[in-house]
Structures are given as structure tokens and as C-alpha cells.
Amino acid sequence: MSNIANTEINDQVIRPNYDRTALKSRIVHLGFGAFHRAHQALFTSEMLDKNGSDWGICEINLFGGEDLIKQLREQDHLYTVAEKGADATTVKMVGSVTESLHPVLDGQRAVLEKMAEEQVAIVSMTITEKGYCADPATGRLDKNNGLIKADLANPSEPNSAIGYIVEALRIRRELNIKPFTVMSCDNVQENGHVARAAVLDFAMLVDKDLAGWIETNVTFPCTMVDRIVPAATAETLAEITTLVGVEDPCGIACEPFRQWVIEDNFVNGRPEWNIVGAEFVTDVVPFEVMKLRMLNGSHSFLAYLGYLGGYAHISDTMTNESYRKAAFDMMMKAQAPTLNMPEGTDLEGYANLLINRFTNPSLKHQTWQIAMDGSQKIPQRMGGSLRFHLDAGSDYKWLAMGIAGWMTYISGSDEKANPIDVRDPMVDLFKEIYQQHGINTSVVKALLGIEAIFGTDLIKNEELVTAITDAYQLIITDGARAAVASL
Ligand code: NAI
Ligand code: CS2
């Protein structure tokens, strides 16, 4: 079948210009999803164009995505990224990926053996927030997580990303091979620290000596990653076919903006991603927190209240002046004051840039997609800021409205009584709570009582309970649009 590897493609596609046969899988990446394709893999490809090094990537999907991996192999692991600005689109072909594996296609053993190969220097991850199997409120391994329980019972045949990493490190230690760096690229606050805690907590339960070896020899740099990459749709794939000249089922569309700030802490070498715009720094955490609160916090706000207000995409919410203003105020009044940034950081400039990015009409980023997995996102996007304002006695009405929006959304029913397809690891608990309370303000306390999301402190704050209850009441009586306008 004709594909991008064996067919003449349109001249406008920017192609890799380096010897792909010289690449080695020095990076194993877990999570060949939308984001990685348009971010780390593209950064790596552009770097290879400049320095001709041998940093190739082996892609692994631990959950789902078998068809994507099969397809990728059929097209010699080449695929395209369409960077869609408001007015123009640039298409780039990525060549940094030269291998792929999937436990369903190749077996668990093949994945572990690859991760244990001597030349593998980095295992990177975009496995979604829930992939860390951590308690969202504490950031420590959730020992009651089903995947973790199964992996602890049978550590040599893991299924979770954490189980795979620990077993691969065990094998490397046994074979006297240097460890790899574990680099999280997920939207998790202090993602490196969370990955480290999960790996060490798991290893401690399996083999204390191994845990000690990991603690001493493995590093887990934190990273701040940013690029809006909506899930591919039939529409974006059709557009890519037109731009490329042949179908590319692995193709992905995204915004032109991209940012990558990486803690420079690698145990076994690293690529020079800095030559194509990544920044290596000693402390990423302030940048991570800034992005998670200002970008992702307002994204979640717009996702819940936008979906309820009848907006399918983030750019649609930006056409409503009160949503636009509320998003900006959420950034500048609710989130910016909670940050502790290096001198000279222009937060207002950052907020304006974010509003512009959200407005990009070429990107069809579904509010429903961002609304997914709220139990994993709310703590880091809104919880910390809420605590800041409660301590400081300052105004947090945007956060209260955002949380009330989430609470309404997870009822599973929209303003016109249409069902909402709520996707979340805690969806069964939400259903149970809603079955008991119905759409009624009494649900607010029941939801705030979920310790894994809100800790034990927030429910005790009467002022906060009232603020969220009032916001919830307004949403259910007047609708999300009126509630947002009331801010
Ligand atoms: P996606 O849905 O396209 O891909 C999800 C990936 O995670 C798949 O490769 C899947 O195999 C893997 N996965 C899912 N559950 C897992 C689990 N329990 N254990 C191990 N692997 C698991 O999503 P996408 O867009 O690639 O986003 C992935 C993550 O990347 C996000 O959750 C976020 O943390 C981060 N990110 C995404 C951005 C975006 O705009 N899409 C931007 C910045 C960060
Ligand atoms: C979004 C993010 O899906 C979500 O929760 O908020 O994926 C967002 O698009 C990225 O973090 C942008 O870098």
C-alpha cells in the first residue's frame, strides 16, 4: 500500500535530512500518543538535522494504540506533524523514530529486553497523569491501584509503566549495565519527583536493595512540556492527506507554539535538545507550576464550563467575551499570585500569549478531551492555588467556579439533560455519589470529601464549601454561561 515512506510526497513537507540508518534506540519512549509525536519526537528529529547524532527513539504503547504501532511499522516509522497557525500550516516529517514495540504485538519480554539494552540511556514517558499510579493528593504510589497490586504480586511480568521501569532496572543491575534516566514528560506537577516516588515506593516493596541502587544511581529529571496537541480526528487526518499528498494515519496536527524546559540531570548522557529550542535548567519546578496553573488550570475551567455551556472546542469558548475574560482573570487573579517565579518573568505577557493560543481557530481542541481524568488534574491545576488563597484571605472565586463546573460535569448529564461521556479512573465513585445525592448542592460536600482529590483539609473550610456550593447552585439554576458571566 502506498504510504509516506514509499510514495512521492508533496514538496512543501519539510523532510528529515540525516542518515536514519545511523540511529540507535538510545531513547525508549513509553506512550506513543498524540503529544509525544508532535513534541519530543519532533524536537529530536530537528536536533538530528542539526547535529547528526545517533539519538534514535523506540516507541512503546503499553495500553492501547496497537494499530498505530502496526501502521507506524508499515511506513518505516516515518510520520508527519502539521503545525497549524491561525493563518498558515507547516508540515514536517519526523525521522527520529526507528523502532517500536507493543506488549500485545511483541510480548512483555520484548519490551523489557529493549529497555534493558545497553545503549538505552533514557526512558521517557507521556503516559497521562493516571499512568503514574500515584495518589493525586500525595504524589506517592497508590498501593491500592489495581495495576500496581497485580504487578507487585508478579513483578517480573509487569503491566504498569512503573512496574516495567522497576523490572527493567532490576535486569540492568543484574547484568551490570548502567541504568537509564527516567524522564517524565507528563503534565504532572514535579513530574520527575512523582515518577521517582512511584518507582522507589514500588521497588521498596519488591526488593529493598534494588530500591537503594535505584535511589543512588537513577535520576528522574523534572520537565515542563508545552504544546497543544488535540487528539487526531478524521478531519485533521484528511487535511494532512491533502497537505502531504498521501494518507498518513500516524500524522498529527498541533499548534505552532512549543516549549520544553528540562532539569539537566541525566545519568547516562542526553541529546542536545537545546540546539532546537529546549532549555536545560537546574530547577524546572517554578516553570512547571506556572504552566500547570495558568495554562492547564484555565484549560480545565474552560473545558468543564465550556462543555456545559454548549461549546465543543476551546476556541469556541474564546468567542464568548465572558469566558475569555474569566480565563484571563483565572490566570492573572487566581493563579499568577500563587506563583514564585524567577525575577523578570512576565506573567501578564504569558497570560496574553495563552489567550491567543486558546483562540487559534485552526485547532479543534475538544472541551470533552480536556475534561477527561479530572480527578488526576484538579489537585495540581486548582488545589494548590485554592490553599494559597485560603491562607492569604484573597479572592478565589474563579477556582471555586472551576471546581463547581467539574462537579456539575461529572454528574454525567448536561444542561439539556443529554448524557455526558465522563472518562475518569474514579468514574464509578462519582456515579455512586450522584446516585445518592442527585443534582443537588448536597453533592458538593460529598465530592469534596474525596480525599485522593481534595485531601482532608478543604472540606473543613466552611467558607470554601459555601463558595463552591453557591457556584454549583448558580450553574444548575442559571446555566454555565450565566455562571461564568457572573464572575
Ligand atoms: P493520547 O491519548 O494520545 O495518548 C496517551 C498515551 O498514554 C498512549 O500512548 C497510551 O498508551 C498511554 N497510556 C494511557 N494510559 C496509560 C497507563 N495507565 N499506563 C501507561 N501508559 C498509558 O494522549 P496525549 O495527547 O499523547 O497526552 C498524553 C499526556 O501527555 C497527557 O496526559 C499529558 O500529561 C501530556 N501532555 C499532553 C499535551 C497535549 O496537548 N496533548 C501537552 C502537554 C503534555
Ligand atoms: C490539556 C493539556 O488535555 C488537557 O488536560 O490541558 O493537554 C494541554 O493541551 C497541554 O498541557 C498544553 O501543553
Side-chain angles (χ1 to χ4, degrees), residues 32 37 68-69 71-72 75 78-80 237 248-252:
F32 187 66
R37 273 180 277 166
L68 195 65
I69 296 284
Q71 182 60 44
L72 188 66
Q75 48 193 68
L78 290 165
Y79 67 90
T80 48
L237 289 177
D248 177 6
C250 302
I252 191 79

Side-chain angles (χ1 to χ4, degrees), residues 187 225-228 291 295-296 299 365 370 377 381:
N187 280 330
V225 287
D226 191 7
R227 169 165 257 187
I228 296 176
K291 189 239 164 183
L295 188 160
N296 299 109
H299 235 188
H365 201 185
I370 300 163
K377 295 175 177 175
R381 297 181 180 200

Side-chain angles (χ1 to χ4, degrees), residues 52 127 152 396 484:
I127 53 174
L152 284 172
Y396 56 84
V484 172

Side-chain angles (χ1 to χ4, degrees), residues 29-37 39-40 60-65 68 102 125-133 147 159-161 185-188 225-232 252 291 296 299 365 369 372-373 377 381:
H29 183 78
L30 307 179
F32 187 66
F35 176 56
H36 168 78
R37 273 180 277 166
H39 194 270
Q40 301 96 54
I60 296 175
N61 267 334
L62 294 178
F63 288 90
L68 195 65
H102 197 295
M125 294 181 280
T126 49
I127 53 174
T128 78
E129 293 83 343
K130 60 187 172 299
Y132 294 81
C133 305
L147 276 175
N159 288 300
S160 70
C185 293
D186 274 294
N187 280 330
V188 170
V225 287
D226 191 7
R227 169 165 257 187
I228 296 176
V229 190
I252 191 79
K291 189 239 164 183
N296 299 109
H299 235 188
H365 201 185
Q369 188 192 347
M372 234 181 263
D373 291 349
K377 295 175 177 175
R381 297 181 180 200

Side-chain angles (χ1 to χ4, degrees), residues 451-464:
E451 217 178 298
I453 307 178
F454 296 106
T456 50
D457 54 333
L458 295 180
I459 194 173
K460 293 185 194 135
N461 190 309
E462 275 310 317
E463 181 203 296
L464 173 69

Side-chain angles (χ1 to χ4, degrees), residues 270-286:
R270 60 145 172 92
E272 292 179 293
W273 285 307
N274 49 308
I275 63 177
V276 285
E279 293 162 78
F280 286 105
V281 301
T282 47
D283 185 10
V284 181
V285 175

